[in-house]
């Protein structure tokens, strides 16, 4: 797996799109091995990332910029304002990486206790990776509307960073798009494959009564 996912460094002459398609296909296959069945691809993909392997805390991190943008779009300006003031109170043109702005769901709930878990977890790295990368590339061969394939930073060792996009040329208003760094995705796929090998005697597992993405503890 390590060799076939090395295209980001140029070994195979591949692109970000091709690399992410390979990684996400591997992750989908792994999740299907753990929880076989139909009609549960999104739920088991996310479950794999948040339940198995190391660094699950990173995968459950909540994308605060995208959550704020979602809350603003649905008219929840109160919670949007609270999160902005606490975690995003700087210039909209500043280029940021995940650790600078993103938080655990417990931190988000402390600031906004009225938010439900499904809304918060819908903006986790695990869920956004499925929706904006895995699903979007599979169906449209491009990232979703909340993600970008080009990083605006040369940060090393990051899971995600953000791309600033100008909404209207005549105004300074911008939005942030999430960028998943391919090296983090590659290492995650390797970690999960190795973890599943270790858990081979416990696999396949029964479909849970409730999935993490649905609010299960």
């Amino acid at each position: 797996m390590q060799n076939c996912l090395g295209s980001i460094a140029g070994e195979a002459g591949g692109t970000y799109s091709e690399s992410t398609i390979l990684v996400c296909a591997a992750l989908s296959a792994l999740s299907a091995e753990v929880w076989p069945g139909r009609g549960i691809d999104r739920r088991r993909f996310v479950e794999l990332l948040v339940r198995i392997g190391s660094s699950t805390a990173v995968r459950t991190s909540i994308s605060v910029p995208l959550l704020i943008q979602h809350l603003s779009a649905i008219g929840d300006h109160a919670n949007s304002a609270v999160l902005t003031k606490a975690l995003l109170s700087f210039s909209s043109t500043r280029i940021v990486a995940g650790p600078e702005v993103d938080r655990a769901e417990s931190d988000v709930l402390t600031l906004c206790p009225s938010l439900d878990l499904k809304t918060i977890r819908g903006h986790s790295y695990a869920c956004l990776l499925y929706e904006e990368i895995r699903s979007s590339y599979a169906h449209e061969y491009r990232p979703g509307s909340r993600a970008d394939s080009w990083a605006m930073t040369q940060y090393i060792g990051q899971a995600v960073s953000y791309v600033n996009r100008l909404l209207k040329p005549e105004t300074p208003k911008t939005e942030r798009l999430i960028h998943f760094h391919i090296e983090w995705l590659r290492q995650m796929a390797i970690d999960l494959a190795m973890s599943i090998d270790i858990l081979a005697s416990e696999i396949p597992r029964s479909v849970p009564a409730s999935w993490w993405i649905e609010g299960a503890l």
Side-chain angles (χ1 to χ4, degrees):
M1 178 177 285
Q2 189 161 3
N3 289 335
C4 75
L5 297 180
S7 61
I8 191 63
E11 293 94 333
T15 64
Y16 180 87
S17 301
E18 292 157 340
S19 298
T20 52
I21 288 171
L22 280 173
V23 172
C24 289
L27 294 174
S28 285
L30 291 171
S31 66
E33 185 177 344
V34 180
W35 297 282
R38 295 182 176 275
I40 56 173
D41 192 54
R42 172 178 175 268
R43 287 172 285 180
R44 69 187 176 196
F45 183 101
V46 174
E47 196 82 6
L48 175 75
L49 270 58
V50 303
R51 299 291 193 196
I52 293 178
S54 61
S55 302
T56 53
V58 176
R59 302 170 205 161
T60 58
S61 294
I62 306 303
S63 170
V64 171
L66 268 60
L67 176 57
I68 289 173
Q69 288 165 192
H70 167 75
L71 294 173
S72 296
I74 65 172
D76 188 350
H77 301 298
N79 281 318
S80 174
V82 168
L83 289 173
T84 299
K85 181 179 180 180
L87 302 172
L88 216 64
S89 60
F90 43 77
S91 171
S92 61
T93 60
R94 176 176 162 183
I95 299 171
V96 295
E100 297 176 82
V101 292
D102 297 335
R103 295 294 184 271
E105 69 174 48
S106 58
D107 297 328
V108 175
L109 277 171
T110 297
L111 291 167
C112 301
S114 64
L115 287 180
D116 64 275
L117 275 181
K118 288 184 69 174
T119 297
I120 295 173
R121 291 179 177 180
H123 293 83
S124 64
Y125 291 178
C127 186
L128 291 169
L129 177 61
Y130 182 85
E131 294 180 354
E132 302 299 321
I133 302 298
R134 187 261 183 268
S135 182
S136 190
Y137 269 113
H139 297 291
E140 301 180 33
Y141 200 67
R142 63 183 179 187
S145 61
R146 298 179 293 173
D148 202 295
S149 59
W150 294 96
M152 288 188 75
T153 174
Q154 302 256 332
Y155 287 141
I156 302 298
Q158 301 295 333
V160 309
S161 59
Y162 289 92
V163 176
N164 300 335
R165 180 170 68 183
L166 189 65
L167 291 177
K168 295 180 179 180
E170 65 274 15
T171 71
K173 186 172 176 57
T174 62
E175 67 177 358
R176 287 185 167 91
L177 309 179
I178 194 167
H179 173 80
F180 290 94
H181 290 246
I182 192 62
E183 181 60 24
W184 177 69
L185 296 179
R186 184 179 72 89
Q187 290 296 335
M188 177 173 60
I190 293 169
D191 168 64
L192 286 167
M194 294 174 64
S195 297
I196 288 174
D197 281 345
I198 294 171
L199 297 170
S201 62
E202 305 173 22
I203 293 170
R205 295 181 176 179
S206 300
V207 171
S210 180
W211 301 86
W212 183 85
I213 195 62
E214 298 169 338
L217 299 178

